[in-house]
């Protein structure tokens, strides 16, 4: 089954179960939020988040042209704005929206379901798309892989903290569920957007954990040889298993 949702392209990847804060200031996305808030409280207030592969979140400032259109800022290199977005994304459930005096919104959203983007409508003030949910599959051996990924992730965290000349604060409690763990590790690791997108798009939990294990071992090996790295913060996002 497919569903039509508003779309919000971002320079980040949202994962199921992860909480993401958003500062909404462009007119097109303020309109998106306002439309969601006009819905009855018992109806879902959701939109689709897609990572950008060509372009940027914010449209170029051209005051003489009025508010940004739905495609402005996308497709700056390829010339094809629709191919500027990855076509596997995550549904964002609007947890809270705080309007600001200057018209902005401070949002808190929670990732829920992965989806395929099947088509895009560019005729409105913001993008909307026809999406198809992606079923979550455990895959073979996800339980054993989860234990290996947890160990590798703890080594990675320690070595990353050492490279940043920082300290780790206690032993973080990690989830037991392999699927939940796979998304938390994907969000909390310092990987480039295409790599994070690859993890989102994995066909099942086992494949995601297997890919993460290879990535974490490789990154930990590199970090062990480097006395220091440019400061880069770990993704600090609240996590919800719901």
């Amino acid at each position: 089954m497919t569903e039509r949702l508003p779309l919000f392209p971002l320079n980040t990847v949202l994962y199921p179960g992860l909480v993401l804060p958003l500062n909404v200031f462009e007119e097109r996305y303020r309109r998106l939020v306002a439309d969601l808030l006009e819905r009855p409280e018992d109806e879902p207030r959701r939109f689709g988040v897609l990572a950008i592969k060509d372009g940027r979140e914010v449209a170029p400032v051209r005051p003489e042209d009025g508010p940004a259109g739905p495609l402005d800022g996308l497709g700056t290199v390829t010339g094809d704005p629709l191919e500027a977005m990855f076509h596997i994304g995550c549904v964002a459930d609007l947890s809270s929206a705080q309007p600001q005096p200057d018209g902005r919104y401070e949002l808190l959203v929670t990732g829920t379901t992965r989806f395929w983007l099947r088509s895009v409508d560019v005729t409105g003030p913001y993008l909307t798309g026809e999406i198809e949910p992606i079923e979550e599959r455990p895959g073979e051996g996800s339980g054993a892989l989860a234990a290996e990924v947890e160990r590798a992730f703890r080594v990675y965290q320690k070595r990353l903290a050492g490279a940043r000349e920082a300290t780790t604060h206690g032993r973080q409690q990690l989830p037991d569920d392999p699927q939940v763990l796979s998304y938390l590790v994907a969000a909390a690791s310092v990987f480039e957007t295409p790599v994070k997108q690859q993890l989102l798009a994995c066909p099942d939990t086992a494949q995601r954990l297997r890919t993460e294990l290879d990535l974490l071992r490789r990154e930990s090996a590199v970090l062990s040889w480097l006395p220091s790295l440019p400061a880069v913060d770990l993704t600090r996002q609240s996590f919800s298993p719901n």
Side-chain angles (χ1 to χ4, degrees):
M1 294 180 63
T2 62
E3 177 184 1
R4 181 170 293 277
L5 284 182
L7 300 179
F8 202 139
L10 292 172
N11 287 327
T12 190
V13 177
L14 177 64
Y15 296 100
L18 270 294
V19 176
L20 178 68
L22 289 174
N23 174 29
V24 178
F25 60 90
E26 284 193 290
E27 176 61 31
R28 51 185 170 175
Y29 298 125
R30 287 159 52 182
R31 174 73 177 274
L32 185 159
V33 174
D35 287 348
L36 291 178
L37 295 177
E38 286 180 359
R39 297 181 180 179
E41 291 187 4
D42 59 346
E43 289 188 8
R45 295 171 173 175
R46 308 189 303 164
F47 56 89
V49 171
L50 293 155
I52 297 169
K53 60 181 176 181
D54 173 23
R56 52 189 179 180
E57 294 178 358
V58 181
V61 178
R62 296 191 298 268
E64 68 280 3
D65 296 333
L71 293 174
D72 284 353
L74 297 176
T76 57
V77 175
T78 65
D80 185 349
L82 300 185
E83 287 303 313
M85 300 178 291
F86 291 98
H87 288 182
I88 293 181
C90 183
V91 175
D93 184 74
L94 183 58
S95 303
S96 68
Q98 299 296 327
Q100 304 300 307
D102 59 1
R104 293 180 300 111
Y105 288 97
E106 297 288 345
L107 304 186
L108 202 61
V109 304
T110 303
T112 59
T113 308
R114 294 184 303 156
F115 65 83
W116 281 96
L117 179 65
R118 294 307 187 188
S119 65
V120 177
D121 184 349
V122 302
T123 60
Y126 48 80
L127 296 174
T128 60
E130 197 76 19
I131 69 157
E132 181 180 345
I134 298 175
E135 181 183 356
E136 294 289 349
R137 302 179 185 274
E140 185 176 351
S142 59
L145 283 164
E148 290 189 69
V149 167
E150 179 175 350
R151 288 191 293 269
F153 181 62
R154 294 195 186 280
V155 172
Y156 167 77
Q157 284 184 308
K158 290 179 181 178
R159 291 186 178 172
L160 182 63
R164 295 173 56 232
E165 299 180 352
T167 58
T168 56
H169 299 283
R171 184 178 176 86
Q172 181 186 13
Q173 184 66 37
L174 295 175
D176 295 327
D177 184 278
Q179 177 188 309
V180 177
L181 176 69
S182 74
Y183 284 130
L184 178 59
V185 169
S189 299
V190 185
F191 302 141
E192 294 182 348
T193 297
V195 176
K196 287 182 173 280
Q197 178 66 32
Q198 177 190 0
L199 294 174
L200 179 70
C202 284
D204 55 50
T205 298
Q207 182 60 52
R208 186 175 305 107
L209 289 168
R210 197 173 294 113
T211 303
E212 288 171 343
L213 188 58
D214 290 341
L215 288 167
L216 291 170
R217 286 173 172 171
R218 184 186 69 191
E219 294 297 308
S220 294
V222 171
L223 289 168
S224 69
W225 288 95
L226 297 178
S228 62
L229 289 175
V232 58
D233 291 333
L234 275 171
T235 300
R236 298 187 181 277
Q237 295 180 334
S238 302
F239 187 79
S240 165
N242 298 318

